[in-house]
Amino acid sequence: ELKVEQNPLFLSMQEGKNYTIYCNYSTTSDRLYWYRQDPGKSLESLFVLLSNGAVKQEGRLMASLDTKARLSTLHITAAVHDLSATYFCAVESYSGAAGNKLTFGGGTRVLVKP
Amino acid sequence: EAQVTQNPRYLITVTGKKLTVTCSQNMNHEYMSWYRQDPGLGLRQIYYSMNVEVTDKGDVPEGYKVSRKEKRNFPLILESPSPNQTSLYFCASSPRLAGISKTQYFGPGTRLLVL
């Protein structure tokens, strides 16, 4: 059974500093997703990582995937208040004719303080 | 506007009273899925579907049913709701979630309280 673990669960950030969220998973997969959820809102797709070594960047966020280590990181550069949200990673696993399953990590709640 | 819609957005019901939460997408996506979100547990997949009449169980399917009779609709059915199904439910769709994967679009969520 695929397990996905994120850490830390909570991250208090200072504006202007750099931070990293880690996503570890237990079985082989080469497809990983990152999502953002604002309080009381739905989820928004941030990144899709489709192969080993994949790196995606948008603004102050950069995500990478190491399939051999079964690890993805979400790096935040020079944090700003607007990045306060909960971030989820999710790992895709092959399932069959109905498509693939998606297993989420528990989320990392990020609070950026001035 | 491309979107995933869910109805109702909020629902209070009683144990054992059958209910259906509808989900519809207007993007002609093949893949649709239901998730529940509970504090401290993240999101857990309930059911998913790659196409019409093709569905499969996610990690927490007990107590739920789904159907995919049309490509755009993927209703979630609780035949006999129980209090442990109190949760926030999200429907999502994507062009596909196998092979070349794409972004998944989420609906606004349905907050369900079962008394």
Side-chain angles (χ1 to χ4, degrees):
Chain A
E1 180 189 343
L2 173 61
K3 293 200 184 300
V4 182
E5 287 188 2
Q6 281 181 244
N7 63 81
L9 297 182
F10 177 73
L11 195 45
S12 179
M13 299 184 180
Q14 279 190 309
E15 280 193 329
K17 294 197 173 180
N18 303 334
Y19 297 87
T20 301
I21 299 171
Y22 299 89
C23 175
N24 292 273
Y25 54 98
S26 62
T27 63
T28 301
S29 175
D30 56 4
R31 294 185 183 87
L32 190 139
Y33 304 77
W34 283 97
Y35 297 91
R36 168 185 171 141
Q37 185 180 36
D38 292 310
K41 303 289 187 182
S42 187
L43 279 82
E44 172 191 354
S45 291
L46 292 175
F47 301 110
V48 178
L49 302 169
L50 298 179
S51 61
N52 186 41
V55 177
K56 294 278 185 74
Q57 182 166 5
E58 183 159 339
R60 300 174 187 274
L61 301 178
M62 184 175 73
S64 64
L65 178 62
D66 181 344
T67 58
K68 293 178 183 174
R70 298 177 187 165
L71 171 68
S72 179
T73 58
L74 181 65
H75 188 72
I76 299 172
T77 301
V80 293
H81 181 70
D82 285 353
L83 292 179
S84 295
T86 299
Y87 294 85
F88 293 95
C89 65
V91 178
E92 183 179 336
S93 56
Y94 174 76
S95 186
N100 289 351
K101 290 174 62 173
L102 200 60
T103 303
F104 280 76
T108 297
R109 186 172 167 219
V110 167
L111 180 61
V112 182
K113 298 180 178 178
Chain B
E1 179 191 353
Q3 60 182 352
V4 178
T5 56
Q6 293 178 228
N7 283 292
R9 295 287 312 280
Y10 304 91
L11 180 60
I12 302 174
T13 190
V14 295
T15 299
K17 186 176 181 182
K18 181 179 178 180
L19 66 93
T20 299
V21 183
T22 64
C23 173
S24 183
Q25 50 96 2
N26 63 359
M27 295 167 279
N28 201 35
H29 286 169
E30 291 92 350
Y31 189 94
M32 296 187 75
S33 182
W34 276 102
Y35 303 90
R36 60 178 289 175
Q37 183 175 24
D38 302 290
L41 296 176
L43 278 85
R44 293 177 291 169
Q45 193 171 37
I46 304 171
Y47 270 95
Y48 57 98
S49 167
M50 192 60 204
N51 215 328
V52 174
E53 302 293 0
V54 182
T55 64
D56 205 351
K57 298 176 182 177
D59 290 325
V60 288
E62 296 80 16
Y64 304 95
K65 286 174 57 177
V66 292
S67 68
R68 188 95 182 268
K69 293 187 170 64
E70 304 167 282
K71 196 173 184 180
R72 64 181 294 132
N73 296 324
F74 192 44
L76 180 69
I77 303 155
L78 285 72
E79 295 268 3
S80 183
S82 62
N84 65 12
Q85 292 178 298
T86 292
S87 188
L88 177 58
Y89 291 87
F90 288 103
C91 179
S93 75
S94 71
R96 57 183 301 186
L97 198 61
I100 301 173
S101 303
K102 299 289 184 182
T103 301
Q104 193 169 199
Y105 297 84
F106 283 79
T110 295
R111 193 168 290 279
L112 173 65
L113 173 61
V114 183
L115 299 173

